[in-house]
Amino acid sequence: KFLYLPVTALIVPDEKRFRLAPDTVKRKTFILPDFPPCYDGPVNAQPRPFLTILYYGRLGKGRGTEVISGLLDSGKPVHILMAGRITDEATEKLTSHPAVKWMGHRSHREILKIAATESDFLLCLYDRPGGEYTNFSGLYDAIQVEKPVIVNAEALTARFTDCYPAGYVMPSYKVREFDSLYHSLLLFRRQFTPLKKLKEGWIWSKVENKLISAHRL
């Protein structure tokens, strides 16, 4: 038998999820951003010899596979770092491409170090209107490792990314002009300035007390 107890707290990752919560539980709802731990390891600020993109997390169609395939097929000098969970056959096929380095499953700390030392961009795409909060997780990671993200205009993070700017915003997930995308990324890479003020505050240690409070510990 299960013992069901009244819910004392509903934890959501962003404002969008907070607005979706029923009015009856809003007073019990806490927004807890999915901030990463502080990254204080080495950062390579110099551009890589080839435009290098880290594609990580849940890997599949609608998450970036189509865009990565298009860049690789364009013949431009790009290098792709892949790590995470593959969800479809097209993405599995990408791992054997000569311009792709497949790294399997890696811990979050390993990913942060790889992003900081081996990549130019973190890929944080989601093809559905409004995106989803995992895009914010990638954005938070990118801020910690002082690298820009690539997001698409449909994603929830696009407005934030464009405002700071924290990365390059593709006009649409369904991009067709990959030569143009490649040159736009090169230009953004030259102009990017790390968001070091956000790096100091957007870390897990700044919000963990909120989690403790939510559980009344």
Side-chain angles (χ1 to χ4, degrees):
K1 292 183 178 181
F2 293 96
L3 177 63
Y4 294 97
L5 298 175
V7 172
T8 58
L10 175 63
I11 299 170
V12 296
D14 53 51
E15 290 281 351
K16 180 180 179 182
R17 266 60 181 185
F18 179 81
R19 292 194 296 270
L20 291 174
D23 290 339
T24 53
V25 297
K26 268 197 168 62
R27 63 184 179 83
K28 299 179 180 180
T29 303
F30 292 78
I31 298 174
L32 191 70
D34 188 20
F35 291 156
C38 174
Y39 177 77
D40 56 5
V43 175
N44 182 0
Q46 297 301 314
R48 312 299 295 171
F50 297 98
L51 181 68
T52 303
I53 299 171
L54 174 59
Y55 178 28
Y56 74 109
R58 184 180 176 191
L59 313 176
K61 291 182 178 179
R63 300 278 181 153
T65 291
E66 300 93 326
V67 175
I68 293 300
S69 295
L71 281 170
L72 292 172
D73 290 345
S74 73
K76 296 296 182 184
V78 296
H79 184 54
I80 308 300
L81 308 173
M82 285 180 65
R85 182 166 68 88
I86 293 173
T87 61
D88 56 53
E89 195 171 313
T91 307
E92 178 72 42
K93 187 177 178 181
L94 275 182
T95 63
S96 60
H97 193 283
V100 171
K101 180 181 178 182
W102 168 240
M103 299 179 290
H105 294 279
R106 297 295 182 100
S107 71
H108 193 195
R109 288 192 178 277
E110 287 177 309
I111 287 293
L112 291 178
K113 185 174 182 180
I114 290 166
T117 59
E118 298 183 41
S119 75
D120 294 315
F121 287 91
L122 281 69
L123 195 70
C124 302
L125 304 181
Y126 193 69
D127 68 343
R128 297 179 188 174
E132 65 168 22
Y133 81 89
T134 51
N135 286 285
F136 278 100
S137 299
L139 177 62
Y140 300 149
D141 288 346
I143 289 170
Q144 279 303 303
V145 300
E146 302 179 25
K147 295 298 175 73
V149 292
I150 303 171
V151 302
N152 54 296
E154 298 92 341
L156 194 62
T157 50
R159 185 179 299 179
F160 175 94
T161 301
D162 190 47
C163 177
Y164 270 87
Y168 179 74
V169 180
M170 292 166 37
S172 170
Y173 184 87
K174 300 185 184 300
V175 63
R176 294 290 181 267
E177 299 295 328
F178 289 99
D179 285 2
S180 176
L181 174 60
Y182 171 80
H183 289 294
S184 294
L185 291 173
L186 286 184
L187 178 61
F188 190 91
R189 185 176 69 171
R190 289 197 297 269
Q191 298 174 339
F192 176 69
T193 301
L195 306 177
K196 293 194 177 183
K197 288 186 177 179
L198 293 182
K199 177 176 179 175
E200 295 170 4
W202 287 18
I203 53 177
W204 175 246
S205 61
K206 298 291 186 179
V207 295
E208 62 180 338
N209 284 337
K210 205 169 185 179
L211 180 62
I212 293 170
S213 174
H215 285 83
R216 300 179 183 177
L217 299 177

